[in-house]
Amino acid sequence: MNFMNRIIFILILILAGITVEAQDFGRREKLNDDWFFRLGDIQYGGIEHMDCSKWPVVDLPHDWTVKQNASPELASCTGYLPGGIAWYRKEINIPATEKGNKVYIFFEGVYNNSEVFINGKWLGKRPNGYISFMYELTPYIKWGEKNAIAVRVDHSNDADSRWYTGSGIYRDVYLVYANPVHINLWGVAYQSEIENNVAEITISTTIKNSVASVPLKVVHELFDAEGHKVASTSKSGKADAEKLTEFNQTMRLRSPNLWSINSPYLYSLKTSVYNGTKLIDESSFSAGIRKIEFDADKGFYLNGVNTKLKGVCIHHDAGVLGAAATKSVWRTRLETLKNLGVNAIRTSHNPQAPYLYELCDELGFVVMDEAFDEWEYPKNKWIKGWNRGVPGHQGTSQYFREWSTRDLQDQILHHRKHPSIIMWSIGNEVDYPNDPYTHPVLADEGISQQSVRAFMEDHPRAETLGQIARELVAAVKEADNSRPVTAALAGAVMSNYTDYPFVLDLVGYNYTENKYDTDHNLYPDRILYGSENRHDLAAWYAVKDKEFIFGQFLWTGIDYLGEAGPWPARGFVSGLLDLAGNVKPRGYFRKALWSEEPMAYIGTYRHVERRGSSRGNRLSTDAPPLWNYDKGSTVQVVCYTNCSEAELQLNGKTVGERKPYDPETGIIGWIVDYEPGELKVIAYNNGKEVASDKITTNTMPAKIDAKFLKQTDNELLRQVKVQILDTNGNPSIFADNEITCEITGGTLFGMENASANVAENYQDNKQRCINGRLLIYVKKASAGNPVTMKLSSLLLETTELKID
């Protein structure tokens, strides 16, 4: 698409929501339980008959890497954890009554280089570890008997990513039964135009027919959130033999409820396919209607409302769970981010699990959905610490030419039903200077990130980027023309000399705020935003104060494994949340910038006099909620707030005068002499108290407080938040007690303390608290049985809790 000053995309989309379970086609059964697993390769591991009785039995999702021991001999980029090769095997019974139907097996994600077999027959290979895929089993099935499924996973190149990937079948697997004439995989697409408060919805349904030509009727019914049918359409036609047939239909909806960030309204849509009066297939989804617009001068509009994206980048791991996280875990994380004022998610730098998009639809996040971190050449992968030593060059580039178009289009076909997705990203920092692409301009200019400033003539030329981008953009538009195509540029200074940014609809700049004004003037039709940004205040003001910059994405929203520093670093720690999902002080600082609701946070650190300064030092955005110091100590107190004024009280007396909000720092600060007790900040708007926060001096740790987190998703994994309390019942900030966890009626999946030390043991039933906190993952043995958990520690009161 050529650049234009204004781009408008309007559509109605289908998403897996909360009213009905998402179903693309057919009838599906989850195949997550009781897989035999063997770490290590086996010759002829895909044969039909094999004695696996001595293999461990695992449930999916499963990540074997996170359960292994870390080693300084392994790569820092993937968290000093090993990959390897492994086999999964499972026997399934296909009822004889299903003979005559089609049977498929669907994998949401296997990392990586997976090969799938049934009854000794090889079905195929999928190198990409983040793309969902499906194979037909029908020709090889033994009806009414046991059928052997085998999956080989080859992650022997375990330094193939710049961050932690995990290894194994780390997402859900389904068996799908379908009529020989059925809706094709990801075969329903929707767009709409809204005019005069009426949505005209265009629906495309692709039917797959593996038998003779057959007459069909396709019926669509749209239901509101209360279950009332509000629109419908039907069309009769013929599905041609042995091919795909497309049915195009329209329906109209008056006064539609629009999906938005603050009100993510979801309809439900049911699609039914009939042969005569016989129902032969159906799909059920939730549906959202919204209008998106992008303007080179005015930014982004959602349903006609100018909106700044307050975004974060995320990776897919969840600490001790590795890549095998679940919907309930990510629901908790996303709800916490939403509470901080975050309204946008960037799936850096790969497609995420299907439930992630469902949650964004439901909770009200807009999404930048990203496909690749590298193209035809590999990037540097750091082995001995981030940007240290000599890098490795394992990666996925060897598959790029063969698989990139298919991977990209499969991602889009799979995800296009989600109204939360507002743009497709074809790459992250593929233009990183001299990693690997180069250009003569690099002899004189560089970027704000660490890079080699030189023209390296033995490296691939940057001009190639434009050619590849043009091919990828065309592939996106073929799959979905309802959203803009973007990419995250690391080296705009170089890419501006190529076609790369000019073939994109939207251009993301990573850490390049200094070029916003310059490039807006040079390229007035370019629609710009911050695709990856530091947490500093200036980077946000560059968005807030410039109408033409429509948002930013912080690196990162949540701490993650991999991309680690020197041993024994565990991962990257720049998140608003830590690995246990706790809000860090910088998270509250961001809430003060992004949240609409009045708030205040109080933190402290020891004051240190600076030479040439009058009782002042730099105000920190990472001040902990701590009020324990030596008597007589001088302490810097900071308040993060979105209110106009704040004052400070110690034990009920004012010790810090009421001060106005300081826009230069985003912080209100006082320097006080320490005295034990209660320190409280009170925030005001228009002279009225609207928010407050307090911290107290901790006494000795005394008790373990624990609670199961609320569970709204249908799964057996439960999360338990642990907080050590002192003798006065206050959260104990200093507590580092070792907690022992004993469980009946379930299985301990891990104890996450958000430690940055990868050398700790995360697999046993003992773990030390950090800042008095732990997050424990436990899986119930079955839906009907209760789980009992006993938590104990030397010198602390034991706690027991039970969930039915």
Side-chain angles (χ1 to χ4, degrees):
M1 180 183 292
N2 293 328
F3 271 100
M4 57 185 69
N5 200 51
R6 193 169 183 86
I7 302 176
I8 304 177
F9 298 87
I10 312 170
L11 69 161
I12 178 172
L13 297 162
I14 300 306
L15 63 148
I18 55 175
T19 31
V20 289
E21 183 182 357
Q23 180 79 23
D24 282 312
F25 73 98
R27 295 169 287 111
R28 67 180 192 177
E29 299 176 2
K30 191 172 283 188
L31 288 183
N32 282 4
D33 296 338
D34 301 328
W35 286 76
F36 290 102
F37 172 75
R38 186 185 191 279
L39 182 56
D41 205 3
I42 314 171
Q43 190 175 20
Y44 314 127
I47 62 174
E48 180 175 3
H49 301 290
M50 178 173 288
D51 181 6
C52 305
S53 58
K54 295 184 180 179
W55 293 17
V57 176
V58 301
D59 294 337
L60 308 181
H62 180 249
D63 174 6
W64 81 69
T65 285
V66 79
K67 299 180 181 300
Q68 307 305 308
N69 293 324
S71 168
E73 301 305 313
L74 296 170
S76 59
C77 56
T78 45
Y80 298 104
L81 290 165
I85 299 174
W87 284 87
Y88 296 82
R89 290 184 64 97
K90 181 178 178 65
E91 289 188 338
I92 57 175
N93 185 279
I94 309 294
T97 53
E98 295 291 346
K99 193 170 185 179
N101 284 331
K102 293 289 187 179
V103 184
Y104 302 90
I105 190 167
F106 180 80
F107 293 85
E108 289 187 347
V110 183
Y111 202 93
N112 60 351
N113 296 303
S114 63
E115 297 177 77
V116 181
F117 304 78
I118 179 172
N119 296 330
K121 309 299 190 298
W122 185 81
L123 297 175
K125 178 176 181 176
R126 196 64 182 243
N128 193 315
Y130 299 112
I131 297 294
S132 300
F133 57 94
M134 184 175 76
Y135 297 117
E136 184 178 352
L137 306 181
T138 317
Y140 315 108
I141 286 174
K142 295 181 177 181
W143 304 99
E145 301 179 32
K146 291 182 178 179
N147 294 264
I149 301 292
V151 182
R152 182 179 188 265
V153 184
D154 183 358
H155 192 202
S156 50
N157 286 339
D158 52 18
D160 62 343
S161 172
R162 296 188 303 113
W163 61 90
Y164 179 84
T165 62
S167 306
I169 309 177
Y170 70 102
R171 295 181 187 163
D172 293 337
V173 178
Y174 293 91
L175 194 66
V176 184
Y177 298 98
N179 189 283
V181 182
H182 61 77
I183 300 169
N184 197 34
L185 177 65
W186 311 319
V188 182
Y190 295 76
Q191 296 187 30
S192 83
E193 293 185 2
I194 304 173
E195 188 173 347
N196 298 325
N197 203 27
V198 176
E200 183 169 289
I201 306 159
T202 303
I203 312 167
S204 171
T205 309
T206 303
I207 302 295
K208 184 176 182 179
N209 181 9
S210 57
V211 293
S213 296
V214 60
L216 297 178
K217 181 171 71 172
V218 178
V219 178
H220 299 289
E221 299 170 288
L222 190 69
F223 300 87
D224 65 17
E226 288 73 42
H228 304 119
K229 185 162 67 174
V230 293
S232 64
T233 181
S234 67
K235 182 177 182 178
S236 298
K238 183 178 69 172
D240 294 328
E242 304 293 338
K243 62 176 9 178
L244 299 176
T245 303
E246 189 172 289
F247 283 71
N248 294 306
Q249 299 163 252
T250 60
M251 61 183 175
R252 294 166 63 86
L253 176 63
R254 296 185 179 278
S255 303
N257 291 298
L258 300 184
W259 183 95
S260 67
I261 289 169
N262 294 325
S263 181
Y265 190 92
L266 301 179
Y267 291 91
S268 298
L269 185 137
K270 181 179 180 182
T271 300
S272 305
V273 181
Y274 293 89
N275 175 213
T277 59
K278 181 181 179 182
L279 177 66
I280 61 173
D281 199 9
E282 65 181 2
S283 68
S284 297
F285 303 94
S286 294
I289 304 172
R290 49 80 171 139
K291 174 181 177 180
I292 59 175
E293 304 169 75
F294 295 87
D295 186 279
D297 295 316
K298 302 294 185 180
F300 171 63
Y301 291 81
L302 178 60
N303 301 328
V305 179
N306 190 262
T307 303
K308 292 288 188 181
L309 299 194
K310 303 169 182 177
V312 295
C313 304
I314 58 169
H315 280 317
H316 69 298
D317 75 85
V320 71
L321 295 180
T326 66
K327 187 174 185 177
S328 63
V329 173
W330 272 100
R331 178 184 294 277
T332 300
R333 289 172 150 214
L334 289 176
E335 287 177 342
T336 304
L337 289 172
K338 185 83 172 182
N339 183 258
L340 298 182
V342 176
N343 66 15
I345 299 294
R346 178 186 175 205
T347 64
S348 46
H349 308 290
N350 50 265
Q352 303 284 317
Y355 60 69
L356 192 282
Y357 304 95
E358 297 170 8
L359 288 169
C360 288
D361 292 333
E362 179 188 333
L363 298 175
F365 291 92
V366 294
V367 175
M368 172 183 175
D369 198 19
E370 196 151 74
F372 305 117
D373 187 56
E374 60 188 27
W375 288 352
E376 61 180 355
Y377 293 104
K379 288 181 178 178
N380 292 333
K381 313 297 189 307
W382 299 103
I383 308 301
K384 296 300 180 183
W386 185 59
N387 282 329
R388 288 173 177 254
V390 178
H393 291 95
Q394 295 178 7
T396 58
S397 59
Q398 69 266 35
Y399 301 112
F400 182 78
R401 278 298 174 190
E402 179 182 359
W403 284 94
S404 59
T405 297
R406 181 176 176 184
D407 285 344
L408 180 60
Q409 291 190 330
D410 279 358
Q411 170 189 345
I412 292 168
L413 293 174
H414 191 186
H415 298 166
R416 63 185 174 176
K417 56 195 175 185
H418 296 286
S420 57
I421 298 175
I422 62 168
M423 50 182 158
W424 305 113
S425 173
I426 59 173
N428 169 66
E429 294 188 345
V430 294
D431 64 337
Y432 204 99
N434 291 310
D435 186 15
Y437 296 94
T438 195
H439 190 277
V441 71
L442 297 179
D444 302 310
E445 297 189 55
I447 63 174
S448 64
Q449 300 184 73
Q450 181 175 325
S451 63
V452 177
R453 181 176 293 193
F455 173 42
M456 305 181 73
E457 297 189 46
D458 60 339
H459 280 222
R461 289 294 297 261
E463 288 81 359
T464 308
L465 294 168
Q467 174 189 343
I468 299 172
R470 186 174 285 107
E471 295 170 1
L472 295 176
V473 169
V476 173
K477 299 298 184 182
E478 182 181 345
D480 175 45
N481 63 3
S482 68
R483 297 172 178 85
V485 183
T486 188
L489 274 59
V493 63
M494 175 179 74
S495 292
N496 283 339
Y497 289 89
T498 76
D499 291 339
Y500 182 22
F502 300 96
V503 301
L504 302 171
D505 299 320
L506 316 174
V507 185
Y509 280 15
N510 286 8
Y511 311 105
T512 317
E513 292 86 2
N514 64 320
K515 291 188 71 66
Y516 286 171
D517 288 321
T518 303
D519 283 10
H520 179 57
N521 291 327
L522 285 173
Y523 316 108
D525 289 335
R526 181 175 295 180
I527 302 174
L528 288 169
Y529 67 101
S531 43
E532 192 169 310
N533 306 85
R534 297 181 179 90
H535 292 249
D536 60 277
L537 193 60
W540 170 239
Y541 283 165
V543 176
K544 179 175 177 287
D545 298 338
K546 299 182 191 300
E547 194 175 19
F548 64 90
I549 300 295
F550 69 77
Q552 69 167 191
F553 289 88
L554 297 178
W555 193 263
T556 58
I558 308 173
D559 292 350
Y560 59 93
L561 302 180
E563 204 163 7
W567 173 268
R570 192 179 179 200
F572 216 81
V573 293
S574 64
L576 301 177
L577 314 183
D578 64 24
L579 284 170
N582 300 306
V583 180
K584 297 157 71 173
R586 63 175 51 195
Y588 291 108
F589 179 74
R590 188 58 45 171
K591 183 175 183 178
L593 297 176
W594 284 358
S595 177
E596 302 289 335
E597 182 182 350
M599 60 80 61
Y601 167 88
I602 187 171
T604 72
Y605 48 93
R606 193 177 300 276
H607 173 72
V608 178
E609 291 282 357
R610 295 172 59 193
R611 186 174 298 178
S613 173
S614 59
R615 279 182 76 88
N617 60 345
R618 186 180 66 86
L619 297 180
S620 172
T621 59
D622 292 307
L626 170 68
W627 194 236
N628 281 74
Y629 294 93
D630 296 331
K631 190 172 183 179
S633 296
T634 304
V635 180
Q636 176 71 65
V637 181
V638 295
C639 172
Y640 311 148
T641 184
N642 53 8
C643 301
S644 59
E645 297 177 305
E647 72 175 54
L648 186 68
Q649 294 182 354
L650 177 59
N651 296 324
K653 297 179 180 180
T654 298
V655 293
E657 64 180 357
R658 191 179 301 189
K659 289 185 177 182
Y661 179 84
D662 180 6
E664 290 189 10
T665 64
I667 300 171
I668 301 174
W670 304 268
I671 297 172
V672 300
D673 293 329
Y674 173 73
E675 179 183 319
E678 179 186 275
L679 189 68
K680 181 178 182 180
V681 66
I682 303 173
Y684 301 86
N685 280 333
N686 300 318
K688 181 180 178 181
E689 179 181 340
V690 291
S692 65
D693 191 27
K694 64 181 180 180
I695 51 180
T696 58
T697 303
N698 276 146
T699 55
M700 290 294 293
K703 180 182 178 181
I704 304 170
D705 183 57
K707 62 178 181 180
F708 282 96
L709 297 186
K710 180 182 177 182
Q711 174 76 309
T712 59
D713 300 297
N714 185 24
E715 59 186 52
L716 296 178
L717 191 72
R718 296 292 188 269
Q719 303 171 78
V720 180
K721 281 278 190 181
V722 176
Q723 173 70 66
I724 305 300
L725 304 179
D726 67 12
T727 55
N728 294 323
N730 297 314
S732 183
I733 305 302
F734 285 117
D736 63 351
N737 305 72
E738 182 179 82
I739 306 296
T740 298
C741 178
E742 299 171 82
I743 293 173
T744 57
T747 303
L748 178 65
F749 262 52
M751 303 172 73
E752 179 58 68
N753 63 359
S755 171
N757 186 351
V758 75
E760 292 182 14
N761 185 352
Y762 296 93
Q763 303 307 318
D764 62 6
N765 70 330
K766 301 176 187 294
Q767 188 61 270
R768 285 197 174 275
C769 294
I770 291 182
N771 298 326
R773 297 181 295 198
L774 270 180
L775 179 64
I776 300 176
Y777 298 105
V778 57
K779 184 177 180 181
K780 295 179 68 176
S782 63
N785 293 329
V787 172
T788 302
M789 175 181 290
K790 178 182 177 182
L791 301 173
S792 60
S793 182
L794 187 66
L795 303 180
L796 296 184
E797 183 180 333
T798 297
T799 294
E800 292 191 19
L801 62 162
K802 178 180 178 180
I803 183 167
D804 291 322

